[in-house]
Amino acid sequence: MNKPSDAAAAHVTNFIRNAIETDLASGKYASRTWGGSPGLAATHAGAQADPAKIRTRFPPEPNGYLHFGHAKSICLNFGLARDYGGVCHMRFDDTNPEKEEQEYVDSILDAVRWLGFGWSANGTEHLYHASDYFDAMYLAAEYLVNSGHAYVDEQSAEELRATRGTLTEHGQNSAWRDRPAAESLARLREMRAGRHADGSMVLRAKIDMRSPNINLRDPAIYRIKKATHHRSGDTWCIYPMYAYAHPIEDALEQITHSICTLEFEDQRPFYDWLLERLAEGGLLLRPLPRQIEFARLNLSYVVLSKRKLIQLVNEGHVEGWDDPRMPTLVGARRRGYTPEGFRLFAERIGVSKSDSWIDYGQLEECMREHLNEVAPRRIAVLDPLKLIIDNYPEGAEEECLAPNHPQKPELGKRPVPFSRELWIEREDFMETPAKAYFRLSPPGATPAGEPRAGSRVRLRYGYVVECTGCDKDAAGRVTAVRCTYFADSKSGTPGSDGYKVKGNVHWISAKHACQCEVRLYDRLFRVPHPGAGDRDFLLELNPEAKKVLGAQLEPALKNVQPEERFQFERHGYFVADRIDSKPGAPVFNRAVTLKDIWQK
Ligand code: ATP
Ligand code: MG
């Protein structure tokens, strides 16, 4: 099994790695140059050889928080650049003037850094905004018009739709298709100058209305939209369409491998057509970027669609974007998931060419593996019940030694105080023990009527005790368990292993314990494919996905820092909540249980 240190891990090869290796081996990139910043051919022509062997990019639209699917894309793009001596650009694909906000920009940068990646290389910050390329995109549009590869179409939106054809019928040429280039150019400039209304005309590429690929039927490349952009303000009232903007963004940045999800496969012919035209015209340098598609991440027990995530937040089904139940990276961070766990997950699921579902358990297992390595062990009693040792002297106390990490003895042991009254888990006592129950139970009778002695268990790292009975309140509820201890049985003392017991329970000295809020998080949905088959996904939320407890913790946990992670023995991995923890009063979130509790 791979260690989480992904840099050193042996990579499973895949079709993307093969494509990159083939391109590198063929010498295709021998002539690549880099002018120091993105730009048209003139920027890069005659410049230094590109110090980056390949260039990839992560191009989110700043219109929401990143989710687990984006983590796959980030690990893939930044990981490939790292492994092949390249650079991955952090690019905001902000060509759509609406819906974009600075809040999202900041959170996206945070998330990428948190995952362990950066965009600084060879003395340059490769942090880019597609909106900085509006001039170049417009220049390219005028070139296409002048060279007969684009025209302004004045049909209405309905006419455009009606003449586009269908999957089985080809489209029809617009009456504006063969207008003189000079006329289209004049119109385009009027569009740009704000002389026409939204939707009154569009600039279209002139390709083939009879193409079986609808994306090649003279796609719109510029539209009028009198909207204020969050960076370029009111400089523009025409904006490029995504299919037009994206290939140009890649080319200006000298991207070699433009990796995207499968739904863009049908756009690849237009991607190539456009860049070829611009290279022919001398606006772009060869070699041109190459688009490669992979299957997006589909993860069971959550939803990854932006629309559904927004609904969960806006309708109050969760407490915000960073609710630890949310499959967002801000949520994962609060929950105690780790960057190393995500990188391991991305490595392990790999990339493929066909859509499939990944079981949520695989992500949890990656988190568990990394947390097992790094999380010190601590003791927490989540559902406390008093255990009173009647023959232990009142007021006395002593220390027991608990290992900080059983697989890493070099991390040493820490003292945990022991005294007459302890907290144990309520489930570690049964008045009438079930079959094969080896924890605490008082003396009684077997079902056959034979007398049965009180059970003996080891208090982990402490003494062996024998259960003698329990106290109850008026309603019959057990309020305390009673036992006696064997003074010569303390763990680590000579002869202590002479006591053979089957049960082993954890405990905290009641007078030393610190009481804290502990939140047990679980999967957000209770079914693997929420909302499948036209069901309402909201009805499939898991009501058990958050439970809040008042737990008793070992005193060492009182003063931890936000985001410190621990294994609570027998319970799972927990993190001190980075928002709600206060000095001396941490709040703990369960990241993941010790074992997969969902496996059937
Ligand atoms: P959504 O469809 O969920 O709203 P999106 O594709 O609109 O996501 P972008 O911000 O455009 O979100 O995505 C940025 C990058 O992340 C893109 O390159 C996209 O391919 C990738 N990406 C988005 N969702 C996934 C996913 N589920 N699996 C892998 N990559 C993804
Ligand atoms: Mg998108």
Side-chain angles (χ1 to χ4, degrees), residues 208-284:
D208 181 6
M209 291 305 291
R210 305 179 66 90
S211 172
N213 183 340
I214 294 184
N215 300 297
L216 293 180
R217 292 180 193 165
D218 292 8
I221 59 181
Y222 261 98
R223 63 190 162 146
I224 304 170
K225 195 163 198 95
K226 294 186 173 140
T228 304
H229 186 279
H230 79 126
R231 293 186 81 243
S232 61
D234 294 322
T235 309
W236 295 89
C237 63
I238 58 172
Y239 289 93
M241 306 298 287
Y242 180 85
Y244 174 79
H246 202 87
I248 296 179
E249 293 159 24
D250 286 343
L252 298 177
E253 292 180 19
Q254 297 280 79
I255 299 300
T256 55
H257 299 87
S258 175
I259 297 161
C260 63
T261 46
L262 281 181
E263 61 278 19
F264 292 98
E265 198 164 12
D266 291 345
Q267 288 286 0
R268 180 157 28 102
F270 177 67
Y271 185 102
D272 292 338
W273 178 92
L274 175 63
L275 296 186
E276 279 298 328
R277 297 294 78 73
L278 298 177
E280 263 167 28
L283 276 79
L284 298 178

Side-chain angles (χ1 to χ4, degrees), residues 58-61 67 69-70 72-73 261 294 296-297 304-306:
F58 173 62
E61 217 179 305
H67 55 59
H70 294 116
K72 175 178 178 179
S73 177
T261 46
F294 72 102
R296 65 195 294 115
L297 173 66
L304 293 180
S305 125
K306 227 173 251 173

